[in-house]
Amino acid sequence: MAFLDDFQTMSSFGATAAGGVHREAATADDGRTRRFLADWFDRHGFTTTVDVVGNMYGTVEFVSGAPYVLVGSHLDSQPTAGKYDGAYGVLAAAYAAHEVAECVERGSVTPQFNLAVVNWFNEEGSRFSPSLMGSGVFIGKFDADDILKVTDRRGVSVRDALSDIGFHGGSTPPDSVSYAEIHIEQGPILEQEGTTIGIVTANWAARKYSITVHGEQSHTGATHMALRHDALVGASRIVLAARELTTRFPEQALLASVGEFDIEPNSPIVVPSKVTMAIDIRSSDPDVLEQAHAMLLAAIAAVDADGEVQVSIDTSALRPSTSYQVEGVELAEAAAQDLGLSCRRMLTMAGHDSVNLKDIVPTVMLFVPSVDGISHSEKELTHDTDLLDGVKMLAETVARMVRGEIGVGRSSELAGMEGAR
């Protein structure tokens, strides 16, 4: 099938030997994938535009002056990651949108809104922080000028990186009336239950921290233990404290990780002077998350109070648990039923661009199964049949959205927000 052939081609950009991809935001391989998508848009009658922070849109106009149903995901990946995370959702959106456009042309769908496929910039947040960057600018959560100044570890700014790959645009984003996204589950539930489609009702709450442990550089072979101020020892205590938090609550109630860890000067015969780390804690229960937050702060304060090192919390951000609009959930359930696809309601543990979009417009978030629940790994896998069922489900969902089955009766608060483009 054409979709699977195109997905295989797209997965070749940044491909790893183990079958995954390494395609961080605004790298050369990300640029090659974006050019593939732009060429796809051109061949299928979509108009490609790029906004100031690198979000790509493939638009098709049905009703002059009407707002757009947006559908998409992201093409960037984590380092040595799977090829399905994000990228599947972008290509599925393109195919679904093309099918809907053909239905409009044949007269089987009468549109009330226009349609735009979107590739959001830097969803992953691995090269540039924070994550969900492009969609965050779109909804007005982040300032575009501030985001363009963000640098990676080598000091390259977002502005320069986008310019280097030819995707620092200046187009005005399309006015949005609703949004849909499909994604691999990144968990085991759908596969274990033998269910084809997940319909997301809310996101897990999350807190993310950037922490620096300050010590004092000295010689490992000449500095007495009592005189050391070892930043790595202090940092290690915090890592273990974060992991230990998860044992203080019922099983699966809390997730906690340190995913990024940098040591300075990182020499074998130097006591580390500084360690920076990123801590991530998540729960479906906001009360559990807040209890864990207080416990983590207490653990950090205890390390700082011992006197060997000093600890600073450089940034701390909360992503609250909020619901997807019920009309979108019900629309997706009706679509799955009409297509004969099994479905279930579920939460998303991971963050997605749809978490941002649902703050400004009615949003539908769909999942397809992940084999063994593995993601952010080269072992990530979703079977072809599930990929194709997902495209079919997304096309039916988007057709209903283009017809105006959600998005018409937006509240005056949502409709009046400038960020709801």
Side-chain angles (χ1 to χ4, degrees):
M1 181 181 175
F3 173 84
L4 297 176
D5 291 340
D6 279 343
F7 186 74
Q8 183 176 2
T9 300
M10 192 169 70
S11 301
S12 69
F13 304 117
T16 64
V21 295
H22 187 132
R23 193 167 61 219
E24 292 181 280
T27 57
D29 284 321
D30 184 30
R32 282 188 275 273
T33 317
R34 286 164 164 263
R35 285 189 288 276
F36 169 84
L37 180 63
D39 289 343
W40 194 99
F41 286 155
D42 185 60
R43 294 196 311 272
H44 292 83
F46 291 76
T47 300
T48 303
T49 59
V50 182
D51 69 18
V52 69
V53 293
N55 294 322
M56 287 179 67
Y57 309 92
T59 60
V60 57
E61 187 176 67
F62 306 130
V63 182
S64 180
Y68 286 76
V69 174
L70 300 185
V71 54
S73 192
H74 62 96
L75 292 176
D76 67 308
S77 82
Q78 292 287 336
T80 57
K83 61 187 178 183
Y84 300 90
D85 177 4
Y88 164 65
V90 175
L91 191 62
Y95 268 82
H98 183 247
E99 182 175 334
V100 172
E102 289 187 327
C103 289
V104 171
E105 186 175 349
R106 291 194 302 265
S108 58
V109 169
T110 301
Q112 185 163 345
F113 303 122
N114 298 313
L115 187 53
V117 179
V118 57
N119 164 37
W120 300 110
F121 174 68
N122 191 45
E123 189 269 358
E124 293 290 358
S126 59
R127 180 181 181 188
F128 300 105
S129 183
S131 59
L132 309 183
M133 185 176 277
S135 59
V137 172
F138 182 88
I139 70 165
K141 181 179 179 180
F142 305 135
D143 178 77
D145 288 337
D146 291 341
I147 289 300
L148 290 171
K149 295 173 185 174
V150 171
T151 58
D152 65 9
R153 292 186 180 188
R154 296 183 177 181
V156 179
S157 69
V158 168
R159 182 191 300 274
D160 288 344
L162 286 171
S163 297
D164 287 345
I165 64 170
F167 283 91
H168 178 214
S171 298
T172 301
D175 293 327
S176 64
V177 70
S178 59
Y179 176 67
E181 180 172 347
I182 196 165
H183 205 279
I184 60 169
E185 181 194 345
Q186 301 179 290
I189 295 173
L190 293 176
E191 184 190 36
Q192 289 175 351
E193 294 186 351
T195 303
T196 304
I197 301 293
I199 302 172
V200 179
T201 58
N203 63 285
W204 275 39
R207 279 191 174 271
K208 298 187 177 187
Y209 314 81
S210 177
I211 293 173
T212 303
V213 181
H214 305 269
E216 184 175 309
Q217 184 170 328
S218 59
H219 197 309
T220 60
T223 305
H224 290 281
M225 299 304 293
L227 299 177
R228 297 189 183 200
H229 299 276
D230 192 328
L232 182 56
V233 171
S236 300
R237 290 178 60 190
I238 294 172
V239 172
L240 293 174
R243 180 61 175 267
E244 203 271 336
L245 282 179
T246 64
T247 68
R248 309 277 292 275
F249 299 94
E251 188 176 359
Q252 306 302 326
L254 181 75
L255 306 179
S257 297
V258 175
E260 188 174 49
F261 200 80
D262 292 316
I263 305 169
E264 295 182 19
N266 206 26
S267 169
I269 55 171
V270 176
V271 174
S273 60
K274 184 168 76 171
V275 175
T276 57
M277 69 179 82
I279 300 180
D280 179 321
I281 61 175
R282 305 183 188 214
S283 179
S284 61
D285 185 336
D287 291 337
V288 167
L289 187 70
E290 289 314 296
Q291 292 176 51
H293 170 63
M295 292 175 184
L296 180 62
L297 295 184
I300 292 171
V303 173
D304 184 80
D306 281 351
E308 180 174 349
V309 297
Q310 293 181 318
V311 186
S312 62
I313 301 176
D314 304 319
T315 63
S316 175
L318 169 66
R319 185 166 68 214
S321 175
T322 55
S323 297
Y324 289 77
Q325 292 81 3
V326 66
E327 61 265 38
V329 173
E330 292 174 348
L331 179 148
E333 286 177 331
Q337 181 176 358
D338 288 350
L339 291 171
L341 299 174
S342 59
C343 68
R344 67 157 358 248
R345 297 187 181 194
M346 61 193 309
L347 302 179
T348 177
M349 299 169 71
H352 304 284
D353 291 302
S354 67
V355 174
N356 276 337
L357 268 292
K358 67 179 166 58
D359 288 347
I360 65 165
V361 290
T363 295
V364 178
M365 182 74 200
L366 305 172
F367 283 159
V368 291
S370 295
V371 173
D372 295 328
I374 296 172
S375 186
H376 285 185
S377 163
E378 292 166 303
K379 295 179 181 179
E380 187 180 88
L381 176 64
T382 293
H383 295 305
D384 289 351
T385 53
D386 290 322
L387 297 177
L388 296 177
D389 281 341
V391 174
K392 182 166 61 174
M393 174 67 184
L394 186 62
E396 179 63 26
T397 300
V398 171
R400 294 171 188 234
M401 296 168 75
V402 166
R403 287 200 298 258
E405 294 186 22
I406 64 170
V408 180
R410 290 186 299 162
S411 69
S412 57
E413 179 184 359
L414 287 179
M417 289 179 63
E418 186 278 332
R421 293 181 164 85

